[in-house]
Amino acid sequence: RKDNTGSYLKQLVIGSEGTLGIITKLTIACPPLPASENVAFLACESFDDVLKLFKEAKKNLGEILSAYEFLDSACVEVLTKWTGVTTPLESEAPFYVLIETAGSNAEHDEQKLYGFLERTMEDGLVVDGTVGSDPSKIKAIWDVRERITEALKHDGYVYKYDISLPLPKLYDMVEDTRKLFEDNDKVTRVVGFGHMGDGNLHLNITGPKFEDEVMSQLEPWLWEWSRDVRGSISAEHGVGFKKRDVLGYSKAPEAIELMATLKKTMDPKGILNPYKLVKVPGQPEHRGQYGNSSALLDRLEFPMTFPEYVWECLCPLVGEVSDPTTVPFCRPTRPLPPPLIWAHTSPIPPTPFIPHPRVFVLPLLARLRSTTQAHATSY
């Protein structure tokens, strides 16, 4: 319902990554599923054609346009190499576009879509294409877009960036990154794909293994590149620990100061998802016996057992607790090789690393609860 009785405080929580409050109640509006759905996969000769096609799609498809995704030929190359998935088109092209329409009238929607495709092919914006309306073909087309990330994981270490940029500049970043690493054998490939509707670029650089040299070339160069065209260093993946200290490339000092003031006002003790998003004067940057996550990494020694690893990484989150050997799940077990511990081939992560709660902390707490209530309460 409409409510124009002052500041809409709910909006403050959106994007705050849990640093300002806890959701205690949630209301979800569930619209009916669309009765008609179509997906087109199209080939374009240039990124300029991708941009023009997007403009035409918004103009001619209007209310039934529900997705407009782009990917380059490097994405298809790595996808085919590691997953065997190929495009549904007979010809190859430098760029591909996935368009999805969703509406309530199949005949009306198909008429609009096919009319749009006919005009854009006559204008030379599209050089090849196919359309799917049955679930199996729709899934096959979406797989080309959605399995890129899976394929990249098999290509070596992945430097991943989630950036938003003005549409005319979107692919310039990919091309400039390729120039940056031209003839560099520490980089395998540079690929770009993303969501055109909100200017969101997923830039991925792969290499045989993590290299400090590559990382130092990427950062802060990418942040400066994004800042210079008034982009954002994080389009949809958030800030967390990793981007907290480079937030100034996207936000003015006054905005960051205001965010810190809001945090201190709404969470004076700094207990709501602490140390994330923004530094708050008077509140610690990291908790635990090791002071901060960088000091934690300096302490880690390999090989170590999986329970020891969990313990070492959990300590900064829960603070000082008793000797891990007194807790049943922390007793030494068979050592696991580093690749099973880290998500990449580098023996020590290049950046401060805290395990994702879904992967480590939540299963750990579940095991604590099943062991003894006393241990669970202590956490």
Side-chain angles (χ1 to χ4, degrees):
R1 59 183 175 84
K2 289 184 177 180
D3 180 10
N4 192 20
T5 56
S7 299
Y8 207 12
L9 298 179
K10 180 184 72 173
Q11 299 300 320
L12 287 177
V13 178
I14 298 173
S16 68
E17 302 184 12
T19 61
L20 299 181
I22 298 173
I23 296 173
T24 59
K25 184 178 180 180
L26 186 66
T27 302
I28 302 176
C30 299
L33 288 172
S36 166
E37 186 176 356
N38 298 283
V39 175
F41 193 82
L42 313 173
C44 298
E45 288 291 348
S46 68
F47 189 72
D48 188 50
D49 288 343
V50 173
L51 292 174
K52 292 177 181 177
L53 185 65
F54 179 52
K55 183 178 180 179
E56 290 299 314
K58 290 194 295 180
K59 177 181 176 182
N60 292 283
L61 298 178
E63 78 287 352
I64 66 170
L65 178 63
S66 57
Y68 190 102
E69 305 277 313
F70 92 93
L71 54 146
D72 60 19
S73 58
C75 290
V76 174
E77 183 180 320
V78 72
L79 178 72
T80 303
K81 178 179 179 180
W82 295 111
T83 69
V85 175
T86 59
T87 76
L89 306 180
E90 295 182 0
S91 59
E92 297 181 354
F95 295 94
Y96 300 92
V97 169
L98 186 153
I99 295 177
E100 180 186 75
T101 64
S104 58
N105 187 315
E107 183 178 353
H108 166 267
D109 296 349
E110 288 183 8
Q111 183 178 358
K112 290 189 74 170
L113 178 60
Y114 281 101
F116 159 75
L117 294 176
E118 183 178 346
R119 287 190 296 272
T120 54
M121 293 189 81
E122 288 176 354
D123 293 340
L125 298 180
V126 176
V127 295
D128 195 5
T130 185
V131 177
S133 56
D134 64 275
S136 60
K137 189 167 184 180
I138 289 175
K139 181 182 182 304
I141 293 175
W142 268 110
D143 277 351
V144 177
R145 165 62 180 85
E146 293 182 335
R147 295 188 66 183
I148 296 171
T149 300
E150 174 193 342
L152 288 167
K153 292 178 181 178
H154 296 286
D155 208 40
Y157 182 83
V158 187
Y159 307 83
K160 303 178 72 68
Y161 294 93
D162 162 58
I163 296 171
S164 63
L165 301 165
L167 287 180
K169 298 289 185 181
L170 195 67
Y171 202 72
D172 289 350
M173 175 173 276
V174 181
E175 293 176 333
D176 286 355
T177 305
R178 287 189 179 131
K179 293 175 184 176
L180 184 67
F181 294 109
E182 199 170 13
D183 300 323
N184 189 329
D185 58 5
K186 294 179 180 178
V187 169
T188 305
R189 74 184 85 236
V190 177
V191 309
F193 60 96
H195 324 294
M196 291 291 291
D198 46 19
N200 186 186
L201 171 68
H202 293 292
L203 176 68
N204 290 257
I205 302 95
T206 66
K209 62 178 181 178
F210 172 80
E211 296 281 358
D212 286 315
E213 176 189 331
V214 174
M215 181 62 79
S216 63
Q217 287 181 268
L218 285 169
E219 299 177 17
W221 175 77
L222 279 174
W223 310 142
E224 294 167 349
W225 203 106
S226 173
R227 176 199 60 199
D228 292 345
V229 297
R230 300 178 66 84
S232 171
I233 63 171
S234 182
E236 61 185 6
H237 292 175
V239 176
F241 282 120
K242 186 175 181 182
K243 294 180 179 178
R244 181 192 66 181
D245 297 338
V246 296
L247 199 59
Y249 288 101
S250 289
K251 291 283 190 287
E254 296 81 3
I256 296 175
E257 183 180 355
L258 179 58
M259 290 166 61
T261 301
L262 285 171
K263 168 69 173 174
K264 196 162 187 176
T265 302
M266 299 180 70
D267 181 24
K269 294 186 178 180
I271 60 175
L272 295 172
N273 201 16
Y275 334 118
K276 313 284 199 323
L277 192 62
V278 65
K279 290 182 179 180
V280 181
Q283 293 185 5
E285 293 184 18
H286 203 282
R287 180 185 178 189
Q289 57 187 330
Y290 309 129
N292 57 57
S293 53
S294 296
L296 165 64
L297 294 177
D298 292 338
R299 180 185 171 89
L300 296 181
E301 296 179 359
F302 290 94
M304 63 164 51
T305 65
F306 181 72
E308 288 170 344
Y309 159 73
V310 172
W311 182 262
E312 296 287 351
C313 288
L314 190 62
C315 280
L317 299 179
V318 300
E320 298 282 356
V321 285
S322 58
D323 184 347
T325 59
T326 65
V327 183
F329 71 88
C330 283
R331 289 171 186 156
T333 59
R334 178 176 60 86
L336 296 176
L340 294 182
I341 294 176
W342 305 116
H344 49 70
T345 57
S346 176
I348 296 294
T351 55
F353 176 84
I354 293 297
H356 192 288
R358 185 168 60 246
V359 179
F360 298 105
V361 179
L362 296 184
L364 188 61
L365 293 179
R367 185 165 181 179
L368 279 169
R369 293 189 186 99
S370 66
T371 306
T372 63
Q373 186 60 38
H375 286 310
T377 303
S378 70
Y379 280 78

